[in-house]
Amino acid sequence: MNVVMLEQHYRHLQHLEAAINACALSVEIDAAGNVTAVNTQVVAALQQSSDRLIGQHITTVLPTADSNQWQKIWDTLLSGQPVQEQCAFLKTDGTTLWLEAGISPLMDGSGQLEHAMLIGIDITTRKLAEVKRAQNEVYYSQVLENLPLGLQQFAPDGESIDMNTRQREIWGHTHQFFTDPGYKWLQDPFNRLNGLSGMFEEVHHTGKTLKREILLSYREKTIDNVTRLYPVYFEATIFPLTDQLRNMANIFLILDDITAKKLSELSLQKSERLLDNIIENLPIGYIQFDNFGFIRRINQTQRLFFKSPHPAARQPFNIMNDELSTMFELDKLFIQALEENKTLRVEKKIDFSQDKRWTTVGREVYLDLTVFPVVEPIDKEMIVVALVNDITDKKMQELENKKNQEFLQQTGSIGKIGGWEMDIDSRQVRWTDQSYYIHDCPPGMDVDFEKAMSFYTPEARETLEGLVRQCKDSGKPFDAQLTIISAKKQLKRVRSIGQPGYVDGRLERMYGVVQDITEQLEIRDALTRNTELMRLFFDTIDMGYAAMEKSGNLNFLNRKAEKMIGHPVAMGSNIFEEFPRLSGTVFYARLRECIQQQASQSFGIYFPGVDKWYDFLLTPMQDGGISVFMRDITDSRKLQKELRKANDQLSNLNKNLLNQNKQLEDFAHITSHNLRAPIANLKALMQMHNEAAAQQERDLYLGMVHEVIKKIDETLNDLVEVVQIRKDVNVEKEKLVFAERLQKVRDVLLVDIETSNIQITYNFTEEPSIEYPRVYLDSILQNFITNAIRYRSSERTPAVHLQTWKENDNIILSVEDNGVGIDMERFGNKLFGFRKTFHKNKDAKGIGLFITKTQVEAMGGNIRAESNPGEGTKFIITFRSE
C-alpha cells in the first residue's frame, strides 16, 4: 500500500471515529475486561471523567442489569465472535442506560482475545417507553381480567376472540362458546329474542355505542326441594374500536349483572300496582286533594257511595270554595290538617241533598272522616288524603238501639225471658223484673246463689250446680232445660242460659237469662202428636215428602223420603248435609227461586253415582217453610231413553242408507270416469304398436299394454270390492302411503306423463300416510294429475307439486300446477259443478272435479281452489280427522 492510500485510509478512519463519537458510546476493553479507552459520549452519559473510568473493570464502569446476559456476551467474545444485543446498564444515579450495543473482539496471533471494542447507541428513551408500554399492557390486562363486569372481544363478523374471567362465569362452562367451535351466536334464537344479536348488528352497521337491558338467561334455584327458574337480567354495552385508518377492528361486549336491581324495579312496579289496586278497592272511600284543595283522585268505593259522575263529565271541585264544603266546614278541616300537619278524625252529619253538581246521593248521611297530610315522595308536594266511611247505618242503628231498649223490656215480658247476674266473690244474684215474675217473687227481693238454687227441684239443682261449677272452672257456657217450683208452688219448666264474664283475664261475674218455656213445651208436645199424625198420613202416599225451613233445616221427613236419601234423618239436620248428592245440582238455585218468587218449582235431577232420576216439586208454605215432594222416575226415564235410542238408530239407519246410495252413485262415476284415461292410454299404445315398424318396438308397446291392463284390472277389482260391501255402509278405510298411491297413479298414466313431459314432484314428509278409502284417494290423485296434463300451458314445461301437512288435527293435501289457470271471479262458483268446463280443451268433460269434490265431502272433508288465468291452479283438500 503506497503512502497516499495510507493517508486516505487514515483519514477515513478518523472520519469514522468522529462519526461514532458524535452519535454513539465507544468503550475499548482489554482481555481482562478493564476499560482502556472511552469517548466523550461515555463521559457525558456517565458524568465522570475519562481518567476515573480508564483502568476500571467494565462491570464497574457499566454495571449490567442482567449479569447472566453479560457473562454470555463475554464468553462469546472470548470465542472470537462479535455480539450485537440490547443491554441495560445501571448508572450511579440509579437510572438505567439502555444501549443497542455492537461488541467486536480483536484476537492475537494465537487466537486469544487481545481487546474488544463496544460501540452502543443510546436507546434508553425508546426502551423505557417499550417497557412502560409492556407494563401497561400487563396492568390493563390484569385490570380487564379482574373487572367485576363481563368483557368479551369479537371480530367485526361476530367471531368471539377473547373474554375475561367474569364473562366466562356469566356464560357458564357448558355454554356453546366453549363446547361448540362452530357456534354462531348471532343466529342463536334466544340471542335474537332477547335483542343481543340485534344490538351487535346495529353497532356493526352504525359504529355507535349501544346500551340496553336484556334478559340473558334463566337461573335455577332450589328451595325446599322445589326447583324454580328465575330470570337473570344484564345491562349490555356494545361498542366498536377502530384502527389507525378508522376501519372497525373489533367490537366489545360488556355485561353487568343487574338482576337484583331489575327484580327490585319489577317488585316496586308490582307494589305500586298492588297499592293502586288496594286503594281502588278499599272498603271505605278514598279522596286525594292537592295542596290547593282540588280533587286529584277518588276510588271506586267513594264514586259508588257519592254516585259521582264519570271523571270526564264531573265538574271541577275545590274544597276551599265549594258551597257544600263551607256549609259543613269541610274547608276548615282541610286547612287544619295542612297547618297542623297531623291526622284528624271527626264525625260529620252532611245533607247531600244541598248539592247536585258532583254527587247524586240526595239525602242526609253520617260520615266518619279521617283527614291527614302526606308528602309526595317524587314531587315533594304536600297532598291531603281523606278516608270516608259511611256510618249512616251505624248511627241510625245507635238511635234504633235506644228505642229498642224499652222495646226489649216489653218483649222480655211477652216472651217470658228474664236476665240474671251473679257476682263471683259475693255470690250475690241480681234479677231483672221478669226473672222475679218467673219465680213468682216480689221485685227487689234480695237473692243470693243459695236462694236462687232453692227454687229448682233436687235433680234440676244438681244439674245446674254442676253446669255453674264447670262454667266457673273452664269458662264453658251452659244452656239447659230444668224444672223449678215457684214461690207460689207452681211447677214450671225453664231454660237457663249462662256464660262467664272476665275482666283482664279474671272471672268476676256470671250472667245469663232464664226463660219460662212451660207453654212452649206444651205446644211442642201437641206439635209432636200432630207430627205423628202427619207422618202416618204422608207415609201412606207413594212419594217422598219433606218439610223444611228456608235454610234447608228439616222439620219433617216421611219414610219414603228417608228411603230415597238412603239413611234415617234426624229432625233439625240440613237437607244438603243429609242428602249430599244435591250439592252441585239445580236444587239450590230452584230453592232460591221458590223462596224469592213464592211460587212452586218443578224440576228433575239425575244422580249418576246411583244412576237414579228424581222428580222434585218445591212449594212455599204460609209459615215461611218449604214443602219438598220427591219421586223416583228412574224406570220411566230409562224407558224414554230406550225409546230415544231406538229413534236415533232408525234415524242413523236412514242417514246411512242415503249415504250408501250416494256412495253407489260415486262408484258409478268413478267407474265411468277413472277408467277413461287408462283406456285412452291403452288405445294410444295399441295405435303406436300397430304403427311401429320394428318388432322390438312392437314388443315394447305390448309390454306397456300389459302393464296398463294390469292397473285397469286392479282398479276394477278395487271398485268391485267396495261395491260389494254390505254389512258396513261406510266405505272401507285403510292406512295408505301417499307416495305409494301416487306411484300407482303414475304407472296408470304412464303414456300421458311421458307424452306431456310433465314434471311431478311431491313432499309428503310432514304427513306421509292417511286412513282413507284406497279407491277414493287413487281417484283424487288421478284426477289432479290428469287435469294438470290436460290444462298445461304451451309457454312452459308442465309441472305439478303435491304436498301434505297437518292443520287443526286434519290432514291437508295441496296440488299445485303451472297450467293455464282459471278465472275464479267468473267460474269460481261453478268450478266443482257437474259437467262444468271452463276451457276449450276438447278433452274436458267437466266430471273430474265434481267426482273429486263428491268423494272428499262424502268422507267429511272439503276442497277449495286458488287460481289466476295464466298462473296455474292450486287445490287444497282437507281430510277430516277420525
Side-chain angles (χ1 to χ4, degrees):
M1 182 178 295
N2 57 34
V3 176
V4 175
M5 292 180 64
L6 286 173
E7 289 179 353
Q8 290 177 348
H9 182 65
Y10 179 72
R11 285 196 297 274
H12 177 70
L13 291 176
Q14 286 180 328
H15 291 158
L16 181 61
E17 181 180 5
I20 292 173
N21 290 333
C23 62
L25 285 77
S26 175
V27 180
E28 185 176 336
I29 311 167
D30 61 17
N34 297 321
V35 176
T36 59
V38 296
N39 69 352
T40 56
Q41 292 289 336
V42 176
V43 172
L46 300 181
Q47 295 183 353
Q48 295 187 35
S49 64
S50 58
D51 295 338
R52 297 188 60 182
L53 299 175
I54 295 173
Q56 296 189 50
H57 197 272
I58 183 62
T59 57
T60 303
V61 174
L62 293 173
T64 61
D66 187 350
S67 59
N68 292 329
Q69 180 190 25
W70 180 255
Q71 186 61 49
K72 291 179 182 179
I73 291 173
W74 190 251
D75 291 341
T76 303
L77 294 175
L78 291 175
S79 67
Q81 300 296 322
V83 177
Q84 185 170 353
E85 287 191 19
Q86 292 181 359
C87 302
F89 299 98
L90 301 176
K91 297 166 66 175
T92 56
D93 60 359
T95 61
T96 302
L97 175 65
W98 280 91
L99 298 179
E100 183 75 48
I103 309 175
S104 302
L106 181 61
M107 313 302 288
D108 58 15
S110 61
Q112 298 295 318
L113 179 65
E114 184 174 340
H115 68 272
M117 177 65 72
L118 183 152
I119 299 176
I121 304 298
D122 187 351
I123 59 171
T124 302
T125 302
R126 176 168 62 85
K127 195 64 180 179
L128 290 178
E130 291 179 1
V131 172
K132 182 66 174 177
R133 189 160 50 250
Q135 290 175 344
N136 287 341
E137 289 180 358
V138 173
Y139 173 76
Y140 288 117
S141 176
Q142 292 176 350
V143 170
L144 296 177
E145 184 65 22
N146 293 283
L147 275 176
L149 310 175
L151 178 65
Q152 188 166 0
Q153 180 183 4
F154 295 94
D157 62 357
E159 181 180 357
S160 178
I161 299 175
D162 195 9
M163 66 181 76
N164 67 355
T165 301
R166 176 57 184 149
Q167 188 74 350
R168 294 186 186 93
E169 293 174 353
I170 291 172
W171 292 126
H173 67 278
T174 59
H175 196 274
Q176 289 174 283
F177 271 124
F178 314 113
T179 60
D180 184 4
Y183 175 54
K184 303 295 184 182
W185 74 278
L186 289 175
Q187 280 73 47
D188 190 318
F190 190 77
N191 290 334
R192 302 208 71 83
L193 181 64
N194 64 24
L196 194 58
S197 299
M199 287 180 64
F200 186 94
E201 292 166 354
E202 186 175 349
V203 170
H204 182 270
H205 178 69
T206 63
K208 297 180 180 179
T209 299
L210 289 181
K211 179 186 291 187
R212 290 174 188 165
E213 293 180 356
I214 62 170
L215 172 60
L216 188 64
S217 61
Y218 289 88
R219 184 179 298 150
E220 290 186 355
K221 287 186 180 180
T222 302
I223 302 174
D224 296 333
N225 295 325
V226 177
T227 301
R228 291 184 173 90
L229 290 177
Y230 291 86
V232 180
Y233 294 93
F234 282 83
E235 183 178 70
T237 303
I238 301 180
F239 61 91
L241 286 184
T242 57
D243 56 20
Q244 295 179 349
L245 299 178
R246 309 294 291 177
N247 295 321
M248 191 174 293
N250 297 110
I251 297 179
F252 285 85
L253 166 65
I254 296 176
L255 292 178
D256 184 12
D257 190 343
I258 59 169
T259 302
K261 171 189 171 186
K262 190 67 176 179
L263 293 180
S264 297
E265 290 178 357
L266 295 175
S267 177
L268 181 59
Q269 294 173 4
K270 183 178 180 182
S271 298
E272 290 176 351
R273 291 194 298 270
L274 178 61
L275 179 59
D276 186 70
N277 192 40
I278 290 173
I279 291 175
E280 190 65 15
N281 294 281
L282 279 174
I284 61 175
Y286 176 92
I287 307 176
Q288 186 182 112
F289 301 89
D290 63 16
N291 55 358
F292 297 106
F294 288 98
I295 289 181
R296 295 174 59 172
R297 179 176 182 179
I298 298 178
N299 71 348
Q300 66 174 351
T301 303
Q302 187 65 28
R303 291 195 298 271
L304 292 173
F305 169 59
F306 279 168
K307 300 179 182 178
S308 299
H310 188 274
R314 187 171 58 233
Q315 297 182 11
F317 173 81
N318 189 292
I319 197 172
M320 298 299 296
N321 53 30
D322 182 78
E323 294 181 1
L324 186 71
S325 298
T326 55
M327 182 186 305
F328 294 99
E329 299 184 342
L330 298 178
D331 55 338
K332 295 181 180 179
L333 188 64
F334 175 83
I335 294 173
Q336 183 181 359
L338 275 178
E339 290 180 348
E340 298 180 7
N341 192 23
K342 67 178 183 180
T343 301
L344 304 175
R345 183 172 183 180
V346 297
E347 290 184 1
K348 285 281 188 180
K349 180 181 177 181
I350 302 177
D351 185 1
F352 281 114
S353 64
Q354 301 292 325
D355 184 279
K356 295 182 180 179
R357 294 172 302 151
W358 58 278
T359 176
T360 57
V361 173
R363 61 186 176 90
E364 191 175 71
V365 297
Y366 290 88
L367 298 180
D368 180 4
L369 298 175
T370 302
V371 182
F372 56 91
V374 178
V375 177
E376 199 173 58
I378 298 177
D379 298 332
K380 303 301 181 182
E381 293 182 353
M382 184 75 76
I383 62 176
V384 176
V385 174
L387 302 180
V388 183
N389 192 13
D390 180 11
I391 58 172
T392 305
D393 294 339
K394 174 186 173 183
K395 278 292 185 182
M396 298 304 293
Q397 188 63 45
E398 289 178 357
L399 297 175
E400 188 69 20
N401 288 342
K402 293 180 181 179
K403 297 178 182 179
N404 289 339
Q405 287 180 359
E406 295 181 1
F407 174 75
L408 288 175
Q409 291 178 358
Q410 295 172 357
T411 56
S413 62
I414 296 173
K416 299 181 179 181
I417 300 175
W420 61 268
E421 182 181 41
M422 182 182 70
D423 184 270
I424 297 298
D425 294 333
S426 65
R427 296 174 67 86
Q428 285 294 316
V429 176
R430 186 167 64 91
W431 281 350
T432 63
D433 291 345
Q434 188 61 33
S435 294
Y436 284 109
Y437 178 79
I438 292 172
H439 290 82
D440 291 332
C441 295
M445 182 183 76
D446 290 337
V447 181
D448 58 12
F449 181 72
E450 292 300 327
K451 180 64 176 177
M453 290 294 104
S454 66
F455 290 99
Y456 290 85
T457 63
E459 182 181 353
R461 177 171 181 170
E462 181 180 356
T463 301
L464 184 57
E465 286 179 343
L467 293 174
V468 171
R469 187 165 52 251
Q470 184 180 28
C471 179
K472 181 178 178 182
D473 295 340
S474 63
K476 182 179 180 181
F478 61 85
D479 185 346
Q481 293 182 9
L482 305 168
T483 303
I484 66 170
I485 300 176
S486 71
K488 295 182 180 180
K489 304 302 179 182
Q490 292 185 1
L491 190 68
K492 297 182 179 181
R493 290 286 288 178
V494 296
R495 182 183 181 188
S496 182
I497 302 174
Q499 63 182 32
Y502 293 93
V503 177
D504 297 331
R506 180 179 178 275
L507 181 65
E508 291 191 352
R509 68 190 184 105
M510 196 175 296
Y511 61 96
V513 296
V514 60
Q515 180 184 13
D516 185 353
I517 59 173
T518 305
E519 291 182 6
Q520 294 182 17
L521 292 178
E522 292 174 352
I523 294 172
R524 188 178 68 180
D525 291 340
L527 181 62
T528 300
R529 290 192 297 272
N530 292 335
T531 301
E532 289 300 324
L533 292 174
M534 186 171 65
R535 180 181 297 276
L536 290 173
F537 168 75
F538 279 105
D539 282 344
T540 60
I541 63 175
D542 188 26
M543 68 171 57
Y545 174 79
M548 68 179 187
E549 299 174 3
K550 294 179 180 180
S551 62
N553 292 336
L554 296 167
N555 297 325
F556 175 77
L557 206 69
N558 71 349
R559 289 189 178 90
K560 186 72 174 179
E562 284 189 340
K563 183 178 179 182
M564 295 172 71
I565 291 176
H567 59 268
V569 177
M571 294 303 100
S573 57
N574 192 279
I575 191 172
F576 294 102
E577 295 176 357
E578 299 294 338
F579 201 1
R581 290 197 297 271
L582 291 177
S583 299
T585 68
V586 299
F587 187 90
Y588 182 79
R590 293 300 181 89
L591 175 61
R592 292 294 94 198
E593 292 178 11
C594 177
I595 295 171
Q596 293 171 2
Q597 300 175 11
Q598 284 296 296
S600 298
Q601 300 290 325
S602 179
F603 54 93
I605 299 177
Y606 174 67
F607 300 104
V610 293
D611 192 24
K612 292 284 187 180
W613 276 98
Y614 286 171
D615 236 354
F616 289 90
L617 174 64
L618 304 181
T619 302
M621 295 187 292
Q622 293 182 352
D623 63 356
I626 304 294
S627 288
V628 182
F629 296 90
M630 299 176 278
R631 186 171 57 183
D632 187 344
I633 59 169
T634 303
D635 292 339
S636 63
R637 282 282 186 168
K638 288 184 177 180
L639 181 59
Q640 293 175 8
K641 185 176 181 182
E642 291 298 327
L643 290 174
R644 283 197 300 270
K645 184 178 179 181
N647 290 332
D648 291 341
Q649 289 176 346
L650 289 174
S651 177
N652 290 333
L653 180 60
N654 184 50
K655 290 180 181 178
N656 289 335
L657 288 173
L658 293 174
N659 187 42
Q660 187 179 41
N661 290 334
K662 190 175 186 305
Q663 291 178 10
L664 290 175
E665 183 181 351
D666 289 343
F667 296 149
H669 286 306
I670 293 171
T671 304
S672 63
H673 181 74
N674 286 24
L675 294 180
R676 184 181 293 115
I679 292 174
N681 284 335
L682 186 62
K683 293 172 63 178
L685 288 172
M686 291 300 299
Q687 184 178 354
M688 286 189 280
H689 172 271
N690 295 334
E691 295 174 357
Q695 181 62 37
Q696 183 178 2
E697 187 176 357
R698 287 197 296 272
D699 292 341
L700 175 62
Y701 288 137
L702 283 176
M704 292 182 181
V705 167
H706 177 73
E707 289 298 322
V708 173
I709 292 174
K710 181 179 178 181
K711 298 302 180 182
I712 293 173
D713 184 59
E714 289 180 3
T715 301
L716 286 173
N717 290 336
D718 290 340
L719 291 171
V720 170
E721 180 181 351
V722 173
V723 172
Q724 288 177 345
I725 297 174
R726 291 293 182 265
K727 294 183 179 180
D728 187 0
V729 296
N730 295 316
V731 181
E732 182 181 356
K733 299 179 182 180
E734 56 184 299
K735 185 172 183 180
L736 303 175
V737 179
F738 281 105
E740 294 178 357
R741 303 322 301 166
L742 178 62
Q743 184 59 45
K744 185 261 184 186
V745 171
R746 295 178 68 166
D747 292 341
V748 172
L749 302 178
L750 176 64
V751 175
D752 287 346
I753 292 173
E754 291 188 351
T755 302
S756 65
N757 197 28
I758 190 169
Q759 305 297 313
I760 301 176
T761 59
Y762 62 87
N763 181 3
F764 300 141
T765 305
E766 292 190 26
E767 288 297 324
S769 62
I770 187 174
E771 290 282 342
Y772 212 70
R774 178 154 51 95
V775 65
Y776 276 17
L777 184 59
D778 287 357
S779 175
I780 292 169
L781 295 176
Q782 182 172 316
N783 271 328
F784 285 129
I785 300 299
T786 303
N787 277 352
I789 294 173
R790 183 173 297 148
Y791 303 113
R792 62 186 181 274
S793 173
S794 60
E795 299 177 358
R796 47 189 171 270
T797 301
V800 61
H801 180 73
L802 298 89
Q803 185 171 353
T804 58
W805 67 91
K806 201 156 193 176
E807 189 176 293
N808 297 328
D809 294 330
N810 295 321
I811 295 177
I812 311 298
L813 168 66
S814 69
V815 183
E816 185 172 6
D817 62 45
N818 64 346
V820 296
I822 303 170
D823 189 342
M824 296 299 289
E825 292 186 1
R826 295 180 58 193
F827 306 119
N829 60 339
K830 302 178 180 179
L831 181 60
F832 298 101
F834 184 68
R835 293 196 176 277
K836 299 295 182 180
T837 59
F838 315 104
H839 299 284
K840 296 181 179 180
N841 191 313
K842 64 180 182 179
D843 296 329
K845 303 296 182 181
I847 192 70
L849 290 179
F850 172 76
I851 292 177
T852 299
K853 180 176 184 292
T854 303
Q855 293 165 341
V856 171
E857 291 181 347
M859 303 308 296
N862 61 74
I863 181 172
R864 61 186 178 88
E866 299 173 356
S867 182
N868 286 307
E871 298 180 3
T873 305
K874 182 177 181 180
F875 294 94
I876 300 97
I877 305 95
T878 300
F879 298 104
R880 187 184 65 181
S881 61
E882 291 290 338

